[in-house]
Amino acid sequence: MSVKVPFVSFLPMERELDSDLRAAFDRVYQRSWYIGGREDEAFEAAFAEFCGTKYCVGVGNGLDALMLSLRALGVGEGDEVIVPSNTYIATALAVTYVGAKVVFVEPELETFNIDPARIEAAITPRTKAIMPVHLYGRACDMDPIMAIAKAHGLFVVEDCAQAHGATYKGRRVGTFGDAAGFSFYPGKNLGALGDAGAVVTNDAALAEKVRALGNYGSDYKYHHIYQGYNSRLDELQAAFLRAKLPHLERMNAARRSIADRYLAQMRNPEVALPVVTEGYVPVWHVFGVRCQRRDALEKWLGERGIGTNKHYPIPMHLQECYRDLGFKEGDFPIAEAISRTELSRPM
């Protein structure tokens, strides 16, 4: 009898947490209060404590978390923001949405994360911020990134959408930069039952500005100090996230156990495994390998009931939506090599 292993399935987790999730729904439903209430406040406090930051502001999704962070820091028209050339499109879109220019920097092939050694060459007088992405749940090399930012007077906004709980030299991601954006899309390590996101920071004024920007630019009802947005974490999603958060460390540990088995038992010379170095504790949102015959490997696994995914088969600089930047194939060869060879295994 063959065993089918889907790339993603929510059922085991939802069955395990069924009573907690139903109790969360009942609390919200019985109060008849759906935006900006007790659940939101309680989750924000709990998630800030989990991350090790002073403040957390719930928002509508991970893209908004990044965009609102940039906007709150004053990044806008005429500015440039450095982002990795290998990541999900939301990172670049956040820069575009505030009117700034996206500047791509290549990743390290071994880690898929932005290469700190390439950042300074991309800095110009217009550069305003660096946005490192802790891709697949593995932290970026933050010490040199922060040193470069300090030397050039740049903001750092961490994209933690895939890295809830990951650590770098004993510190959780999200605690290094001026602000950090998290996504709670259902498939994330900490996922809502719909769209949700958050910004964490140690800057009280920045947190207040993010909150106002996400609430139509309002600091109190019918008083609007900014031209803001409608991006708030609703009570129901906050309640679900609050129910799941106490289980996150255990679930991350389970992912590490699965990843350890992959790393120990996968011995195919054609398959390049992810690299884990001392001082990094990943949370393995994605376990991505590289294989020159990626499509053949995908087919072989699929025929044996093992689900896979490709992250990300078209690099951002070759996406139609960024055609106006004028890039062509070959301009970012490392990102292109990853896009041709990466294959993600079930976690």
Side-chain angles (χ1 to χ4, degrees):
M1 176 177 155
S2 62
V3 176
K4 291 195 178 295
V5 183
F7 180 70
V8 173
S9 174
F10 299 136
L11 288 177
M13 177 190 62
E14 290 172 352
R15 286 170 181 161
E16 179 184 350
L17 302 182
D18 182 77
S19 60
D20 292 342
L21 295 172
R22 290 180 185 276
F25 174 84
D26 287 342
R27 285 198 310 272
V28 175
Y29 188 63
Q30 289 168 11
R31 287 184 191 134
S32 296
W33 192 282
Y34 302 111
I35 300 289
R38 296 181 198 173
E39 298 294 336
D40 193 10
E41 291 174 3
F43 173 72
E44 288 179 349
F47 193 65
E49 182 179 4
F50 173 84
C51 291
T53 58
K54 293 180 180 178
Y55 308 102
C56 170
V57 180
V59 298
N61 54 68
L63 171 54
D64 284 358
L66 299 174
M67 182 270 292
L68 291 169
S69 295
L70 292 172
R71 174 85 191 274
L73 289 166
V75 179
E77 294 284 347
D79 296 327
E80 295 176 353
V81 178
I82 291 171
V83 305
S85 57
N86 176 59
T87 184
Y88 185 55
I89 195 85
T91 312
L93 290 176
V95 177
T96 301
Y97 288 172
V98 299
K101 179 183 177 182
V102 177
V103 176
F104 294 122
V105 167
E106 288 273 68
E108 301 168 318
L109 187 60
E110 296 78 15
T111 68
F112 298 168
N113 280 338
I114 192 168
D115 186 348
R118 298 174 182 267
I119 291 176
E120 281 197 286
I123 295 174
T124 75
R126 293 180 179 271
T127 306
K128 194 75 171 282
I130 305 170
M131 189 179 289
V133 182
H134 305 295
L135 199 67
Y136 298 175
R138 183 196 188 279
C140 295
D141 191 358
M142 291 306 297
D143 281 351
I145 293 173
M146 295 307 299
I148 292 167
K150 183 177 180 181
H152 293 272
L154 304 177
F155 296 120
V156 174
V157 176
E158 298 174 67
D159 184 338
C160 301
Q162 300 183 6
H164 313 67
T167 63
Y168 171 81
K169 298 184 178 180
R171 284 176 60 183
R172 292 207 197 274
V173 298
T175 63
F176 295 89
D178 298 276
F182 284 84
S183 167
F184 302 124
Y185 183 76
K188 297 298 195 281
N189 291 38
L190 179 62
L193 303 190
D195 264 327
V199 174
V200 300
T201 181
N202 287 313
D203 186 326
L206 185 63
E208 289 177 7
K209 189 169 183 180
V210 168
R211 190 178 301 282
L213 283 168
N215 188 34
Y216 298 98
S218 174
D219 53 350
Y220 61 88
K221 194 162 186 173
Y222 301 134
H223 183 256
H224 303 271
I225 51 179
Y226 311 110
Q227 294 179 6
Y229 310 85
N230 176 15
S231 183
R232 299 170 293 193
L233 176 60
D234 69 70
E235 282 288 276
L236 191 57
Q237 299 306 332
F240 291 143
L241 290 167
R242 190 179 165 201
K244 285 186 171 186
L245 182 58
H247 303 274
L248 179 57
E249 287 277 58
R250 175 175 57 81
M251 291 181 174
N252 282 344
R255 287 175 177 266
R256 281 192 287 272
S257 178
I258 294 169
D260 288 345
R261 289 189 65 185
Y262 280 151
L263 292 169
Q265 297 179 27
M266 290 174 66
R267 288 290 179 267
N268 187 326
E270 290 197 52
V271 177
L273 299 175
V275 174
V276 181
T277 49
E278 187 177 354
Y280 296 78
V281 180
V283 294
W284 297 111
H285 175 62
V286 167
F287 189 95
V289 304
R290 287 185 297 110
C291 180
Q292 294 300 324
R293 294 196 294 152
R294 188 259 312 275
D295 293 346
L297 176 60
E298 179 184 37
K299 182 174 183 291
W300 188 88
L301 291 168
E303 289 171 348
R304 286 152 180 81
I306 300 172
T308 57
N309 198 1
K310 294 185 282 250
H311 296 88
Y312 299 98
I314 304 174
M316 290 185 295
H317 67 284
L318 298 180
Q319 293 283 357
E320 186 174 351
C321 66
Y322 281 118
R323 184 183 296 173
D324 62 310
L325 295 179
F327 295 118
K328 63 184 182 304
E329 190 169 348
D331 285 344
F332 295 93
I334 299 177
E336 292 171 26
I338 293 171
S339 73
R340 288 193 300 269
T341 60
E342 194 275 347
L343 189 67
S344 303
R345 303 291 297 272
M347 289 300 294

